[in-house]
Amino acid sequence: MPISPRQLTASLLAADHIAERHVIAAFLAQTATQPAPNPFPETSVGAVSQVWRQRAAEFQSFAVEAAGLTCLLATLSGLSLDERLMQEILRAGPHTVNVFHRGDGCRIVGAVLYGKPGVALPVLPIPRTKRLGPAPRSGALGMPGQLDLFA
């Protein structure tokens, strides 16, 4: 049974080992992102590793931008080749995301967001938790040159 995009988004945000998880999660959270046909929902670390190493070479050759690929390959290299994984595939427009988890949708092994050759990754709104610093307070705006110790 496929995992809902909402659950995948939450699980992906908790996956600290994926450097670009916020970009991928923002893509998953878009209403246009929908589950896609998935010919191999159940797979193995060995199969995923082989497929994505090949895709990494193809992506480089064909100028395909990807987020999460390096982290996926690094994580897979530390796992047993026969370990079972589940794959979720979601699409919106020219972009696709493949998410790999251990079968419960909660323990994300890796995820890759990519587009068609020559198409940039989508520019998505930054989640509120990732914005730099708190919003300025009205009292902190008035005096230029004054140091605000609470900012």
Side-chain angles (χ1 to χ4, degrees), residues 10-126:
S11 297
L12 192 58
L13 287 171
D16 293 340
H17 64 283
I18 303 172
E20 298 158 313
R21 67 187 176 278
H22 293 284
V23 172
I24 301 168
F27 177 77
L28 285 174
Q30 299 294 308
T31 55
T33 304
Q34 297 295 315
N38 188 354
F40 303 106
E42 189 172 330
T43 186
S44 69
V45 168
V48 172
S49 182
Q50 181 178 5
V51 165
W52 285 96
R53 282 189 187 140
Q54 178 65 36
R55 284 191 179 177
E58 291 171 0
F59 285 1
Q60 188 174 12
S61 297
F62 296 111
V64 173
E65 289 187 26
L69 181 55
T70 303
C71 293
L72 173 66
L73 293 175
T75 301
L76 292 173
S77 70
L79 300 176
S80 171
L81 294 177
D82 60 348
E83 184 175 337
R84 186 183 136 219
L85 294 177
M86 296 300 292
Q87 173 179 227
E88 308 292 334
I89 302 173
L90 297 99
R91 286 198 177 105
H95 298 97
T96 302
V97 66
N98 293 63
V99 181
F100 299 95
H101 58 88
R102 291 188 175 10
D104 58 3
C106 295
R107 295 174 295 153
I108 304 293
V109 171
V112 181
L113 170 64
Y114 60 97
K116 303 250 183 228
V119 175
L121 290 177
V123 177
L124 301 164
I126 299 171

